[in-house]
Amino acid sequence: MKQWNRWNPSSYGWADEARKYEQLLHQSQPLPASDWTHERKVKMLSQMVDYYASHQQADGAIIDPYSQAERYYSTPSYALAAAVLVSSGREDLIDSAASALTHSIELLVSERTPDQHPDFFIVMIMGAYRILKEKMPEQAELWRQALATIEPEQTYLFTMSKMKNPNRMINWNAIMLSGEVIRQAEGIASKDTTWIDNYLQKYHLPRFTSLGWYEDGPLDRPNSPFAYDIATRYHLGVMMLSGYAGTTATALQSQLQHGAISSLLTLSPLGELPPRGRSAQHQWNEAAAAFVFTMQAQQAYADGALQWAGAFRRAADKTWAAIEKWQTSEGYVQIVRNHFPAEQRHGYEVYSNHTTYNLWTAAALAYTLWYEQPEEITSYPIPAELGSRTLQADGWFETVFSSVPDQQIVIHTALNDPYIIPGIARIQRAGLHANLATSSPGHRDQGFTEFNAGDIFPLIHMPAWQTEDNVWHHLAEGIPTATPFDRDTGVDPSDGGGSYRIEQSSTTADHNHLVIRWQGPLQGINYVVATYEQSPGHIVVTYEVVANDEAEAGNSTEQIKQIGAWIPLFLSDGQASSTIKTERIDRQSLTARAEQSINEWDTADKVGASSATMTEQEQVEVITVTYRDQYIRIVPRTPQATITFPNEANEVASRNGLLRGARIEATGSRISFELFL
């Protein structure tokens, strides 16, 4: 098979893991034909556009049904999505798309864009223009004349002429550059790319990590949300496909290639991108990923790397499916993955808007359809479906991924960020609802995020410990930093002296062993060791806290009265609630497969946990969470451990709805529990 010539293993940070996956990929079999046909995608997009067509005003503006105003870049997003549907045969949308385009151009050139977001307009305007100009030549000339009046340094907001600050050349600037390349390609702007090259070379290429991920935020302290990594790469991908050939084109193409592989390696079994930072769990994350995966599938296909192409094709299909699950009968999607009414804004960011983020999602899906080639690419398994791996993010992303076939856990590692707290942030398994084992945690500081219900509490899978003064502490309690937390700029993970490292990591075909050590200063202790063992359907977690640097692991109980493990339990999505109960059950009633896996890779030898006593008991106390006709069980493995439900975590806000916190408690400095998925 021809080598995929756009992958540069000498500079790609996960080259070894990519090679291992490639070997598995070559040994795998093609999957059945995908039911995500072009027609199905067009239908899904049509339903979204048709809903918002009913909210279009006479002047072409799209009005949000909840805020009763035109918001952000809703109208140009609609223009692009409707225009792509016109190209797919929806001739009934020509006038509607043209009206939205005319209105959007007028707002941009007159510097009257809603909510001061001009930088987002041009890439959507130019996409709609390219399609509609052939169908409406006389109107197109008026559009062209108006677009020719744009002076980028003055028309847009995030430019050096206006900001005079390199730290502010963030995703907004890259998005604007993408649209300006299309304006050049259409002969409306000068063909000279020097000023675009300068922005890309100075402010954007330095933001890419060795994994091809884009670190958004100030250059000296990027906050690195995964949402704005994928959004920026999506727009830069549009720019490349629109003909950018400036001085940074080769380097940029390599980074986009690497980023696509990294996103493929970390995509969950359910087709969701990793949660981290602002705008996590918003549908447009997966819409941007659909574009990235689709374009990489086509590039791999053109290079003859058919299995890589098939894996990217399957990844793209999974992201479409992840969005479709949240599409309502009216056509719009729940922009955040919960079922609270849109007007309640639960889990929304302060800037999230029902119309804007539905139509931004529609626009990204529209660009995906516009560039999608007719070749039939045969699907192959994505990494989440093949083998086991542990992946450590680089740069400022502060995330570790651990997976076995059809199952993934995502661990956040920074000790000093109250918006992105440390611990297992997500557990997902194929066939289970994404919310069941939790897809997003609580917060210590809600930052950008708004909630309609629930308390702000840093609830996540994490260790806890009770000191001799009877006070309970936990890993997400935080470390004081020299620089106060700022939601816009984020925090330096090393500020305050906390750190983490992976101490052990090993995998087999269907088993993953991972040990992470978090180093203080922490309240009453010096460090925490967390051990994660997983096989399909089964996860064992062991925490050990050490209060004295000189103490040998397993021998330190100084200052520690009890050890605990916080467990986030999904409570409600705003529509359906879980049933959470504790009961004592016969251990033999646990699945034979899980029992077999316990015997095969018991953690006792690795971390000193005494699980033998537990497995010999006839009955154990368990927590069962039942949600939408599916259930999981959490079972203490430490002898004589008790399960409590502290009042401070009785109803905790998360982007997906509400969580309830349980805490497993035991004497000593080590505790272990298991999850049956």
Side-chain angles (χ1 to χ4, degrees), residues 411-417 420-425 458 460-463 475-478 518:
I411 303 167
H412 291 156
T413 58
L415 286 170
N416 60 356
D417 190 334
I420 310 167
I421 57 176
I424 300 178
I460 195 169
H461 278 283
M462 63 179 170
L475 194 62
E477 197 167 37
W518 277 281

Side-chain angles (χ1 to χ4, degrees), residues 131-142:
I131 296 170
L132 298 177
K133 67 176 184 178
E134 302 298 333
K135 297 181 177 295
M136 307 179 72
E138 293 183 3
Q139 180 63 50
E141 181 57 33
L142 297 177

Side-chain angles (χ1 to χ4, degrees), residues 380-444:
Y380 276 83
I382 64 171
E385 298 168 318
L386 280 181
S388 305
R389 60 191 55 82
T390 294
L391 300 168
Q392 184 176 14
D394 63 356
W396 292 60
F397 285 97
E398 295 291 306
T399 303
V400 174
F401 305 86
S402 175
S403 62
V404 294
D406 290 324
Q407 185 173 296
Q408 181 196 64
I409 64 175
V410 178
I411 303 167
H412 291 156
T413 58
L415 286 170
N416 60 356
D417 190 334
Y419 192 52
I420 310 167
I421 57 176
I424 300 178
R426 182 173 78 188
I427 300 173
Q428 288 191 353
R429 175 162 173 75
L432 293 184
H433 194 288
N435 287 345
L436 179 58
T438 68
S439 284
S440 63
H443 302 278
R444 186 159 56 91

Side-chain angles (χ1 to χ4, degrees), residues 235-252:
H235 282 100
L236 293 175
V238 171
M239 184 177 76
M240 296 300 295
L241 289 171
S242 299
Y244 173 69
T247 59
T248 66
T250 299
L252 185 58

